[in-house]
Amino acid sequence: MRVLHACSELYPLLKTGGLADVLGALPAAQIAAGADVRLLMPGFPALMKGIGETSLVTEQETFAGKITLRYGSYNGVGIYLIDAPHLYDRPGSPYHDGAQHEYADNYKRFALLGWVACELACAIDPYWQPEIVHAHDWHAGLAGAYLAARGYPARSVFTVHNLAYQGQFSARHLHELHLPSHFMQPDGLEFYGQISYLKAGLYYADMITAVSPTYAKEITRSEYGFGMENLLEQRQYHGKLTGILNGVDYQIWNPLTDPLLPENYHPRKMAGKAACKAALQYQQALTVTPDAPLFGVVSRLSSQKGLDLLLESLPKLLELGGQLVLLGSGDAHLQDAWLDMAKQYPKQIAVHIGYDEALAHNIIGAADVILVPSRFEPCGLTQLYGLKYGTLPLVRYTGGLADTVIDCSLENLADKLATGFIFRDSQVNELNDAIRRVFALWAEPVKWRRVQRQAMAMDFSWDIAAEKYLTMYQHLS
């Protein structure tokens, strides 16, 4: 089965979020399961440099100017790169300039990704033609529309990693993008008078997947659907929406082998985790003690992630004697508020604005609890990393968090199923109650160690997700 993933990020070469982690692991897992899988990506500088030597596939004039399609490989996965310096060779992130302003021609830069995916399905590469085009998030959302316009030369799958990001652009661009004018309607890619690349993906794909079973249900409801809930409910009714949980690349995230940790450890020998904790406390100028539970946060700083809610619960966490290390960036007012808290409580709180892969591994390896208090969370990977590292997740019951963490209720503790702590509503008192339950279990070290071992025994490897995707591809019609 020949599968083409159309996407904009790839770990470790280019990452702004969890999308990169997925594309860094899923294709290789599918290849291991027997599929013939390749990626298609814009020729961003980090990708061009990281992939290195490539061969020429073709040169073409397109609606976005002249492009060169190149082919190379990275970590055993074949990758097509759209080499178009006038579109992609820019500073800043793939989507914004250095001042966080979206590039004015994003409509063209990412429409091209969908267009080239369709061209590959139409045999632009005479040596390889995909049977399945699997597009990821709004960046590749037009792939399904172009395939529809060309008479469906391949089956298409669209994965929603986060419905909040929708890729909306002015309707005046439709003709420029070489899409039929009749696509610009509610039964198409029109969304409140604009073109929505996300809606194009949702409407034209043969199958939609969300990155967890619970998120697949949530997005059919108004509180999570961002205006797309009616379309998603309709597609679910016709059996065209499913949820497949993301996995973890245990070659990268494994406390037994992680080269970024000061000491390695495993479920039956946890002394290394205590050493990691002491090292992080020392590095972050926190009080070095094994007695205070250390809470970790590795997150985008936004209200979606519940980091405003956590700020309100900090007094309770500190009052009970906890410590906290945070790594992340995002909304300016949240960044400032977190930095202020770190200044007020330098022995209990450490805050780093930005992203640092090594520090992320060290926080997850050293902390006793990983906090993910999201208002919504399509899948979440941080809690999965926490489970593997014996860093018990404290999460809200939503999306993939609900699918992966088993609460330390009395019943689950008795049945030896518990792996973390769950609260239901995005309310300070609910989060405070969950924090109190952390301290209650912390006071019973034998029970805490048992829950750690149960957490570390959970298996969320990509092999499971890869098989589910391949089975789903086989049933497309």
Side-chain angles (χ1 to χ4, degrees):
M1 188 184 298
R2 296 182 303 278
V3 181
L4 178 72
H5 290 278
C7 54
S8 60
E9 300 183 27
L10 178 67
Y11 176 85
L13 300 180
L14 182 62
K15 173 176 174 172
T16 69
L19 174 67
D21 293 312
V22 173
L23 274 304
L26 174 60
Q30 291 180 322
I31 290 168
D36 182 359
V37 181
R38 299 185 181 187
L39 271 62
L40 169 67
M41 307 190 71
F44 296 122
L47 297 174
M48 298 293 288
K49 181 181 176 185
I51 291 165
E53 188 176 339
T54 58
S55 59
L56 175 69
V57 178
T58 185
E59 293 182 329
Q60 278 197 307
E61 284 292 340
T62 75
F63 60 80
K66 187 175 181 180
I67 67 160
T68 303
L69 187 63
R70 300 188 178 278
Y71 181 74
S73 68
Y74 186 76
N75 284 347
V77 180
I79 301 177
Y80 292 100
L81 289 168
I82 305 169
D83 186 3
H86 63 289
L87 294 172
Y88 304 127
D89 189 1
R90 300 175 185 178
S93 85
Y95 322 111
H96 309 93
D97 62 22
Q100 291 298 300
H101 297 127
E102 291 186 4
Y103 290 116
D105 59 350
N106 270 356
Y107 74 93
K108 193 160 40 178
R109 300 168 78 228
F110 292 103
L112 186 63
L113 179 59
W115 186 83
V116 175
C118 177
E119 288 293 295
L120 282 163
C122 295
I124 191 177
D125 180 349
Y127 299 103
W128 193 85
Q129 184 177 357
E131 300 164 271
I132 306 288
V133 172
H134 189 154
H136 296 266
D137 265 355
W138 74 263
H139 325 112
L142 288 190
Y146 284 115
L147 288 167
R150 296 287 291 273
Y152 297 99
R155 302 285 82 185
S156 64
V157 175
F158 183 70
T159 292
V160 179
H161 295 265
N162 192 332
L163 203 64
Y165 300 98
Q166 302 196 343
Q168 293 185 33
F169 302 100
S170 170
R172 72 175 185 273
H173 298 308
L174 188 74
H175 178 69
E176 185 183 352
L177 301 179
H178 292 191
L179 284 166
S181 57
H182 67 270
F183 279 23
M184 190 63 192
Q185 58 177 321
D187 285 339
L189 46 73
E190 184 268 339
F191 188 66
Y192 291 99
Q194 292 188 296
I195 302 170
S196 167
Y197 288 26
L198 178 86
K199 188 181 177 192
L202 300 177
Y203 184 83
Y204 290 105
D206 293 301
M207 176 64 80
I208 303 162
T209 71
V211 290
S212 72
T214 295
Y215 190 58
K217 296 172 188 166
E218 288 177 339
I219 57 179
T220 64
R221 309 202 304 261
S222 59
E223 59 264 44
Y224 296 100
F226 290 93
M228 303 290 178
E229 59 272 9
N230 291 336
L231 171 58
L232 286 161
E233 186 178 32
Q234 182 183 10
R235 301 232 60 192
Q236 183 188 53
Y237 177 78
H238 291 289
K240 301 299 184 183
L241 168 63
T242 190
I244 297 176
L245 191 70
N246 280 343
V248 175
D249 187 342
Y250 289 129
Q251 290 186 312
I252 295 168
W253 293 96
N254 187 338
L256 182 59
T257 57
D258 192 334
L260 297 174
L261 297 183
E263 283 197 33
N264 295 113
Y265 59 92
H266 61 82
R268 296 292 169 183
K269 190 178 179 184
M270 295 292 282
K273 186 168 180 66
C276 290
K277 179 176 177 177
L280 188 69
Q281 287 171 324
Y282 178 77
Q283 289 162 8
Q284 303 304 317
L286 303 176
T287 301
V288 180
T289 171
D291 299 328
L294 178 61
F295 292 75
V297 177
V298 180
S299 177
R300 193 168 69 252
L301 303 188
S302 68
S303 59
Q304 179 216 318
K305 297 292 186 179
L307 271 297
D308 54 334
L309 190 70
L310 183 56
L311 265 174
E312 293 185 66
S313 284
L314 271 183
K316 175 56 66 178
L317 189 153
L318 299 177
E319 173 199 322
L320 292 169
Q323 298 176 333
L324 186 142
V325 180
L326 177 143
L327 171 66
S329 62
D331 297 351
H333 73 282
L334 281 175
Q335 292 184 171
D336 292 343
W338 276 98
L339 288 168
D340 285 346
M341 290 299 288
K343 283 179 188 171
Q344 287 180 54
Y345 303 95
K347 292 296 183 182
Q348 284 182 277
I349 299 175
V351 171
H352 290 264
I353 302 300
Y355 189 74
D356 179 325
E357 188 74 13
L359 182 56
H361 280 250
N362 275 282
I363 290 172
I364 291 169
D368 300 297
V369 177
I370 190 78
L371 283 155
V372 193
S374 305
R375 285 183 168 83
F376 68 93
E377 191 62 65
C379 176
L381 293 170
T382 310
Q383 85 280 8
L384 300 181
Y385 303 152
L387 290 167
K388 185 66 176 178
Y389 284 63
T391 305
L392 305 186
L394 192 168
V395 306
R396 193 174 92 75
Y397 190 84
T398 184
L401 305 175
D403 291 325
T404 54
V405 179
I406 302 169
D407 185 54
C408 282
S409 65
L410 292 175
E411 297 88 344
N412 289 335
L413 285 168
D415 294 339
K416 299 183 180 178
L417 298 172
T419 60
F421 306 89
I422 293 174
F423 67 104
R424 292 275 171 169
D425 295 323
S426 292
Q427 307 288 342
V428 176
N429 63 319
E430 290 249 349
L431 180 51
N432 285 347
D433 286 345
I435 290 169
R436 274 194 289 267
R437 292 198 294 122
V438 169
F439 282 88
L441 189 66
W442 181 256
E444 298 189 63
V446 173
K447 286 186 180 177
W448 186 278
R449 296 285 174 259
R450 189 169 71 224
V451 174
Q452 273 187 320
R453 287 195 295 273
Q454 287 158 196
M456 296 174 83
M458 301 294 283
D459 183 6
F460 294 101
S461 63
W462 271 110
D463 303 347
I464 300 165
E467 289 287 357
K468 288 183 177 178
Y469 277 115
L470 293 177
T471 300
M472 184 260 292
Y473 296 157
Q474 288 164 352
H475 289 90
L476 291 180
S477 58

